[in-house]
Amino acid sequence: MRTEPVLLVHGFATSATRTWAEPGWIDLITEAGREVIAVDLLGHGDAPKPHDPAEYERMDQHLLDQLPATPVDAIAFSLGARLTLTLATRHPDRFSRIVVAGIGENLFGSEGGSTIADAIESSEIPENLTARHFKDLAETPGNDPQALAACMRHPFAALDEDQLARVTNPVLVVLGDQDFVGPADRLVAALPDARLVTLKKMDHFGTPKDFTFIDEALGFIDARPF
C-alpha cells in the first residue's frame, strides 16, 4: 500500500474547501489512510490575497513552500494543474504520482486572463459564458474579486515539450470531452509516462465532482477507501 501524502490543488476562483472538501475528496483519501495536504493558492481561500498582479509571479513558489520534504502524490485541477506541472518540470523529485484535470492544449499558451479579469471587475454581465461563470465564482462569499482579477492579470508562462519531458513521474491526465481547455493529446504525448482519461459529456466546471474523475484519480494513486 502506498503511503505518500496527497497534495490537492484547486483551480481558479475556488478553494480547497469548495473543490476538495465539499465533493468528498478529503474524506475519501483520509479514510484510505493517507495524509491530505489541501492547499489554498495565493489569492484564494485562506491564503493571502494581494491586489497587485506582480505579486502573483510567486504563485508557484507559494505552492512549493507548502510541500513537505518527502515526495507527494498530487491531484490538481485547472490552474492548480498548471502550477503543479510547472513545479514538476523543475522539481520532479518532490512528486511521486501526479493527476491533472481540466488542462490540455491551453498549457502550451501563455495563459493571460485579461478577459476574465475585465469581466470580474465589470458591473455588467459578460456575454461570454466562460467569463460569466468565472465572474460568478469570483463573487461567491469568501472570495476577493479584486485579488482574483489581479491573479488573472499576471500571465502564467507556457510550457513546452522539452520542459514537460522532465516530468518522468507517472501522470494521469483527466479531461471532459466538453472542456474548453482541450484537447489533451499534445500534453499526453509530451509527458514520458502519461495516460488520458476522457470524461463523457463533462465540461470544465463540473469536473471536480465527477464520479469517474474521483474513482480514476484515487485508483491511480492507490487511495480508494475500500
Side-chain angles (χ1 to χ4, degrees):
M1 180 177 177
R2 306 184 69 252
T3 60
E4 290 86 347
V6 180
L7 173 73
L8 300 176
V9 194
H10 65 81
F12 175 70
T14 136
S15 65
T17 296
R18 291 195 61 188
T19 302
W20 308 117
E22 291 177 4
W25 286 86
I26 292 177
D27 287 341
L28 289 170
I29 296 169
T30 302
E31 288 170 15
R34 303 282 289 276
E35 177 189 355
V36 172
I37 304 170
V39 303
D40 282 324
L41 295 173
L42 190 68
H44 299 72
D46 292 328
K49 298 180 175 65
H51 291 175
D52 180 358
E55 290 291 317
Y56 291 90
E57 184 174 352
R58 60 187 181 91
M59 204 168 186
D60 53 352
Q61 184 62 48
H62 178 265
L63 175 58
L64 182 64
D65 289 344
Q66 298 182 72
L67 299 188
T70 56
V72 299
D73 285 341
I75 302 175
F77 174 66
S78 194
L79 175 57
R82 173 183 282 270
L83 293 171
T84 298
L85 282 178
T86 298
L87 287 182
T89 66
R90 303 169 185 166
H91 309 280
D93 57 310
R94 305 295 295 272
F95 298 92
S96 183
R97 297 186 183 185
I98 301 172
V99 180
V100 290
I103 198 166
E105 187 66 26
N106 65 323
L107 186 68
F108 296 94
S110 181
E111 191 167 288
S114 59
T115 299
I116 293 172
D118 289 344
I120 291 171
E121 293 177 329
S122 174
S123 59
E124 299 180 359
I125 298 175
E127 293 184 7
N128 181 282
L129 293 179
T130 300
R132 185 185 305 175
H133 192 96
F134 280 123
K135 178 177 175 63
D136 290 342
L137 282 176
E139 293 175 351
T140 56
N143 276 343
D144 181 336
Q146 190 173 349
L148 294 173
C151 176
M152 279 292 99
R153 292 199 185 283
H154 184 275
F156 298 96
L159 294 179
D160 60 28
E161 279 81 359
D162 289 340
Q163 291 169 303
L164 290 168
R166 302 171 195 155
V167 186
T168 55
N169 318 72
V171 180
L172 180 68
V173 180
V174 182
L175 189 67
D177 60 4
Q178 298 176 15
D179 196 321
F180 61 85
V181 303
D185 306 65
R186 185 180 173 189
L187 172 59
V188 174
L191 293 164
D193 184 5
R195 176 169 66 89
L196 173 65
V197 169
T198 301
L199 305 178
K200 302 298 183 182
K201 299 181 180 180
M202 181 53 57
D203 64 13
H204 187 80
F205 300 105
T207 295
K209 297 180 181 179
D210 184 83
F211 290 130
T212 299
F213 174 30
I214 295 171
D215 187 58
E216 290 281 355
L218 298 190
F220 186 74
I221 66 167
D222 191 24
R224 289 192 183 103
F226 45 80

